[in-house]
Amino acid sequence: MKTTQTPAPVPAEPGAPVTEAGPPADGKPRPPRRTEGGVLDVFSHGVLVLWAVMVVLPLLWAVMTSFKDDRAIFGSPWSLPDRLRFDNWARAWTEAHMGDYFLNTVLVVGGSLVGTLVLGSMAAYVLARFDFPGNRFIYYLFIGGMSFPIMLALVPLFYVVNNMGLLNTIHGLILVYIAYSLPFTVFFLTAFFRTLPTSVAEAAFVDGASHSRTFFQIMLPMARPGLISVGIFNFLGQWNQYMLPTVLNTDPDRRVLTQGLVQLAVSQGYKGDWSGLFAGLVMAMLPVLAAYIVLQRQVVQGLTAGALK
């Protein structure tokens, strides 16, 4: 009886292309190739690249224009400056009083940001960790404050601030900014505090720590990603705020940067200082960009912490 022997498969040479002429020798099915997400990935990356170009190009153009003179701005707006004219920045800082406006903005935004984070984190911690009558009602009041348009409150807010003697004052504007930013801060941090483990706070209570010590020394450091995230959002909104200081701050010596930019644009009538205006615009823009670039990783961690835990 003659038997036929099947030849053993010859191993492929290194670097040779892999062909799929037949089923595998061991009889096990090969896993399917993952090609279904390729088109979607290309499309999403293309949209992101287009969005990045649309955002970055105007910023770079503004920075480039701030080093030109007025003739070059209108004559060749897309060309590089022939030399860096730092006198535009010096003129905007001194003659246009952008230095005073910058200092006023730092005082207002710094004070309101600290007050918003302290008061908002305390309120959010209580609403997230303690059950008491009216808990849900107070929480939904803060939620309702987010949906209330500020335009409807400008006139009564003006009279309230004026009756309190806080009109045209730095601390009056700080209090208004805190009240304006608290609803979103409480809403954001309440959801964040609910994701933190309760075992750490319970261990602190067992060791004899008070509620205030547990909050400031244990829970608040654990909520650092959330505080940085909501702090960045509040910083952006308060730094770029124009409507509230325009209504509540009419004193020329206490103007903030947004008011200073408008004043710089209209101060000279038909002869506008365009180079100084772009220099002042870049001055107002740089702190926001620097804060976001430095803290972007913490912002992402704070936004995704609730989903990961």
Side-chain angles (χ1 to χ4, degrees):
M1 185 176 179
K2 186 181 292 184
T3 59
T4 59
Q5 295 180 355
T6 58
V10 179
E13 297 180 359
V18 179
T19 60
E20 296 184 359
D26 54 1
K28 297 182 181 180
R30 292 189 179 96
R33 294 183 177 181
R34 302 182 61 184
T35 60
E36 61 273 6
V39 177
L40 183 60
D41 291 341
V42 172
F43 177 76
S44 62
H45 284 78
V47 172
L48 291 177
V49 170
L50 179 61
W51 178 259
V53 170
M54 294 174 60
V55 172
V56 173
L57 279 183
L59 299 180
L60 294 179
W61 182 79
V63 175
M64 180 184 66
T65 308
S66 66
F67 292 103
K68 296 181 177 180
D69 56 2
D70 293 343
R71 185 186 300 273
I73 290 175
F74 289 99
S76 54
W78 301 108
S79 64
L80 294 174
D82 54 355
R83 63 183 181 87
L84 300 180
R85 292 178 170 83
F86 291 99
D87 56 322
N88 297 337
W89 291 59
R91 188 173 64 256
W93 186 264
T94 57
E95 297 181 8
H97 305 286
M98 295 299 294
D100 299 333
Y101 303 150
F102 190 90
L103 179 59
N104 293 336
T105 306
V106 170
L107 293 177
V108 172
V109 176
S112 60
L113 192 61
V114 172
T116 301
L117 292 180
V118 171
L119 297 178
S121 60
M122 293 172 67
Y125 176 75
V126 172
L127 293 175
R129 292 292 181 172
F130 298 95
D131 293 328
F132 56 89
N135 183 301
R136 293 289 88 189
F137 177 74
I138 297 176
Y139 177 73
Y140 288 124
L141 280 180
F142 282 107
I143 299 299
M146 295 174 56
S147 61
F148 189 81
I150 193 62
M151 290 287 294
L152 298 179
L154 286 179
V155 175
L157 183 62
F158 175 84
Y159 286 105
V160 169
V161 175
N162 189 26
N163 293 333
M164 296 177 63
L166 299 176
L167 198 64
N168 298 327
T169 60
I170 296 295
H171 51 281
L173 205 57
I174 290 176
L175 293 178
V176 174
Y177 276 21
I178 291 175
Y180 172 77
S181 305
L182 267 181
F184 174 74
T185 304
V186 173
F187 168 74
F188 187 94
L189 291 180
T190 299
F192 191 87
F193 275 117
R194 288 173 180 168
T195 64
L196 298 181
T198 58
S199 58
V200 179
E202 293 174 354
F205 291 143
V206 171
D207 292 339
S210 61
H211 289 286
S212 59
R213 184 176 181 181
T214 302
F215 171 73
F216 285 106
Q217 296 187 0
I218 298 177
M219 304 305 294
L220 202 59
M222 293 176 62
R224 180 185 175 186
L227 292 173
I228 293 177
S229 299
V230 74
I232 288 292
F233 288 121
N234 287 330
F235 176 74
L236 294 176
Q238 294 173 3
W239 187 272
N240 298 322
Q241 182 60 241
Y242 174 72
M243 188 178 303
L244 288 176
T246 301
V247 175
L248 304 176
N249 186 26
T250 58
D251 189 353
D253 295 332
R254 293 184 174 87
R255 287 174 178 162
V256 294
L257 269 177
T258 51
Q259 295 175 290
L261 289 175
V262 175
Q263 179 65 23
L264 181 60
V266 302
S267 60
Q268 297 186 7
Y270 291 102
K271 186 182 177 182
D273 187 6
W274 296 102
S275 56
L277 177 61
F278 276 100
L281 177 64
V282 175
M283 289 179 189
M285 180 179 62
L286 285 181
V288 178
L289 291 178
Y292 186 78
I293 291 173
V294 173
L295 302 174
Q296 59 177 338
R297 181 174 299 178
Q298 287 80 359
V299 172
V300 175
Q301 291 178 356
L303 293 177
T304 58
L308 296 177
K309 293 185 177 182

